[in-house]
Structures are given as C-alpha cells and as structure tokens.
C-alpha cells in the first residue's frame, strides 16, 4: 500500500530508543513518530547534537523515516503535565516552550525528519480567547521562522480541550498568521471521531492540502481516549483509502501514549490491523 506507517515512541517508553527503533523496523514499519523526552533523545540533556547524529545513523541504517513529536508530558516542568504551554500567562514560561519547539526543529533537521508536530495547549483560567490566540501566534512566530530556515514544516495538531481543538481552529490560526508556508497540520484520526462535526473520512478530505503529519488510533465519539484498533468506533478501511488518495506522503503514526506497558505487542497487532484494513477487496485497486 502507498501509506507509510509509523509508531509513536510515546507508546514505547518502557523500551530504550535503540531497541524501540529496532522493533519497529523488524515489524515492517516505515518510520517512527519520535517524541523528544527524557527517555528518548532528551532535548534538554547535554550533547544533543552528537546524540541526534547517533539516532540519525540508526534511523538510516534501519531504513526508517521520522517525524519529531513534542507532546512529552513533563519534559519542561516535572510537576505540570504539558507545562508550560504556548499560552502560559508568564512570558518567560511561554518562551521556554517556544525555545523547546525551535530546538525540536533543529533536531528534526539533524534527523532528516519530514515534519515537527506541536499543539497549542489549554487556555489558562481567567484568559480571554482573544488573548490566548494572540499569545499563540506570538509564541509560534520564532518556531515558524526556524521551520522556514530548516525547510521542515511545523504540523500543528488540533487537540480536544485545547485552544486549537478542531480543524476550524487550525484554519483560524492560518488566517491570524497570514497563512505562512511552513505552517501545516497534524491530523489525528481518533480526534476526528471524538469531536469533529464531520466523519473521519471527510476530515481527511478537507484537511488534505495542509496535511504534514497523521496520527491514528481508535476512539469513540465524545470520549478523548486513545484506544487500540478495534476497541473504538472508527471504520478504518475508508479512512485509509481517503489518506492514500489524498496525496499525503508523510507518515501515518499509531498514537497509543497510554499503552507502553504493552507497547511491543500493540506495535505488532497495530501494523497487522492496518495492513488488513488497507488491503484491497472485491477487486479494488490497492491503496
């Protein structure tokens, strides 16, 4: 099939990064969604450039593509999940998140990644919507500049509960920023099922021109819980067909961040499921 499948290292946190990459290559994945975190290419530890070169050699040796993901829960603040965010009331705290994203772009360039993923964060209490959007656009400006210099798109993810939660919110951000070239979209298929007004298939079709990264898992309507395939409500064959027909050339990465305890087995069963779901039926052409 034409889809390039990957698996997120945030679902393999009980494995050393070298072992996780070897597992994914052995299972037949095309790439990896690499979350920069304290256990996997720590972006704040010393000798980042040297460690990045080492990971790049490993990826090349295994034939794996890569997207750099930045959703580590406690990489900046050990006491606040995903804190500080791009919307933090403290300018210095927002700047720390911006600096991390700029560093992620630099890591992505060293790895030969096809995109850098990020999200907006929750709107803080007592913060108006207009203020939150202004903070977001200001905080992203240096990241977009870095992305432009590196030639690596920044793929912003609509995340349930965040300021930027839907595809409509992504388009609002595009408008506020003047539709910059480096700005793209991370589409999470489960999030489409969770809260978008359109079906996941229609979301893929609508998002196609801006797709720079795709995450995939099962999910139920109205419940933001990443589920193994078959445990939710999504009909995957038409979703995969829409992705394959969209012109998207990046990775489609399995996103199961709360299932690391069973990561190796879920990595195996997930690729088996997706291959079956993408297989041609009734004489149809393969995706």
């Amino acid at each position: 099939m034409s889809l390039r499948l990957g698996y997120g290292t945030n679902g393999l946190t009980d494995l050393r990064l070298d072992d996780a990459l070897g597992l994914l290559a052995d299972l037949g994945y095309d790439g990896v969604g690499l979350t920069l975190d304290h256990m996997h290419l720590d972006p704040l530890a010393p000798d980042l450039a040297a460690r990045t070169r080492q990971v790049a050699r490993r990826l090349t040796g295994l034939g794996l593509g890569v997207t750099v993901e930045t959703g580590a829960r406690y990489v900046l603040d050990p006491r606040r999940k995903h804190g500080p965010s791009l919307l933090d009331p403290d300018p210095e705290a927002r700047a720390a998140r911006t600096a991390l994203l700029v560093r992620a772009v630099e890591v992505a360039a060293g790895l030969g990644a096809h995109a850098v993923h990020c999200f907006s964060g929750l709107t803080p209490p007592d913060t108006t919507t207009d203020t939150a959007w202004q903070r977001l656009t200001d905080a992203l400006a240096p990241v977009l500049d870095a992305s432009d210099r590196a030639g690596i798109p920044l793929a912003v993810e609509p995340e349930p509960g965040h300021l930027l939660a839907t595809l409509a919110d992504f388009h609002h951000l595009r408008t506020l920023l003047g539709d910059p070239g480096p700005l793209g979209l991370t589409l999470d298929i489960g999030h489409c099922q969770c809260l978008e007004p359109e079906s996941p298939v229609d979301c893929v079709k609508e998002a196609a021109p801006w797709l720079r990264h795709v995450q995939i898992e099962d999910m139920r309507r109205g419940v933001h819980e990443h589920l193994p395939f078959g445990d939710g409500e999504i009909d995957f064959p038409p979703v995969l067909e829409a992705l394959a027909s969209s012109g998207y050339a990046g990775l489609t990465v399995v996103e199961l961040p709360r299932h690391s305890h069973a990561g190796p087995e879920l990595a195996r069963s997930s690729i088996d499921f997706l291959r079956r779901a993408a297989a041609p039926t009734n004489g149809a052409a393969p995706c």
Side-chain angles (χ1 to χ4, degrees):
M1 63 183 181
S2 62
L3 293 179
R4 299 175 61 226
L5 299 178
Y7 200 93
T9 59
N10 60 2
L12 295 170
T13 57
D14 292 304
L15 276 68
R16 297 177 184 88
L17 180 57
D18 191 66
D19 292 336
L21 298 179
L23 169 72
L24 298 182
D26 288 346
L27 290 172
Y29 281 95
D30 301 292
V32 58
L34 175 56
T35 297
L36 303 182
D37 207 346
H38 62 87
M39 78 295 290
H40 290 157
L41 195 53
D42 187 342
L44 302 181
D47 301 321
L48 178 60
R51 290 184 288 113
T52 299
R53 288 192 294 271
Q54 182 178 2
V55 174
R57 289 192 293 269
R58 178 66 167 157
L59 290 167
T60 299
L62 295 171
L64 293 174
V66 61
T67 297
V68 169
E69 302 199 7
T70 61
R73 294 183 180 95
Y74 296 101
V75 70
L76 280 180
D77 187 330
R79 302 189 181 194
R80 283 194 298 161
K81 182 180 176 182
H82 299 311
S85 79
L86 296 170
L87 310 180
D88 198 285
D90 181 354
E92 292 187 2
R94 295 198 300 274
R97 177 61 63 175
T98 294
L100 178 66
L101 295 180
V102 170
R103 182 169 295 190
V105 172
E106 295 167 352
V107 170
L111 296 177
H114 78 264
V116 172
H117 147 279
C118 73
F119 44 59
S120 69
L122 301 168
T123 302
D126 302 319
T127 301
T128 67
T129 300
D130 287 346
T131 296
W133 282 109
Q134 186 63 57
R135 288 177 185 168
L136 181 61
T137 56
D138 290 346
L140 283 179
V143 189
L144 290 165
D145 287 344
S147 294
D148 193 29
R149 292 191 300 271
I152 297 174
L154 183 69
V156 180
E157 179 188 6
E159 182 79 20
H162 285 208
L163 173 69
L164 198 157
T166 65
L167 286 172
D169 294 332
F170 169 74
H171 292 303
H172 181 57
L173 177 65
R174 285 178 53 234
T175 300
L176 290 175
L177 288 169
D179 201 13
L183 180 65
L185 172 70
T186 292
L187 186 70
D188 187 301
I189 301 302
H191 295 173
C192 297
Q193 176 70 21
C194 177
L195 85 167
E196 293 284 355
E198 305 295 334
S199 70
V201 169
D202 288 336
C203 287
V204 170
K205 293 176 180 178
E206 177 192 336
W210 300 278
L211 279 184
R212 301 296 180 267
H213 184 45
V214 174
Q215 297 172 345
I216 193 165
E217 69 286 313
D218 217 339
M219 205 168 286
R220 300 187 183 99
R221 184 69 180 171
V223 182
H224 184 205
E225 181 182 3
H226 291 235
L227 300 172
F229 297 110
D231 288 359
E233 301 169 341
I234 299 174
D235 182 15
F236 282 97
V239 174
L240 298 178
E241 181 179 358
L243 278 171
S245 301
S246 69
Y248 172 65
L251 292 172
T252 298
V253 172
V254 178
E255 183 81 355
L256 293 172
R258 297 184 181 180
H259 291 78
S260 282
H261 63 282
E265 173 56 26
L266 281 170
R268 183 200 62 77
S269 61
S270 294
I271 196 169
D272 289 347
F273 178 96
L274 291 170
R275 285 169 169 166
R276 289 194 302 271
T281 58
N282 299 321
C287 73

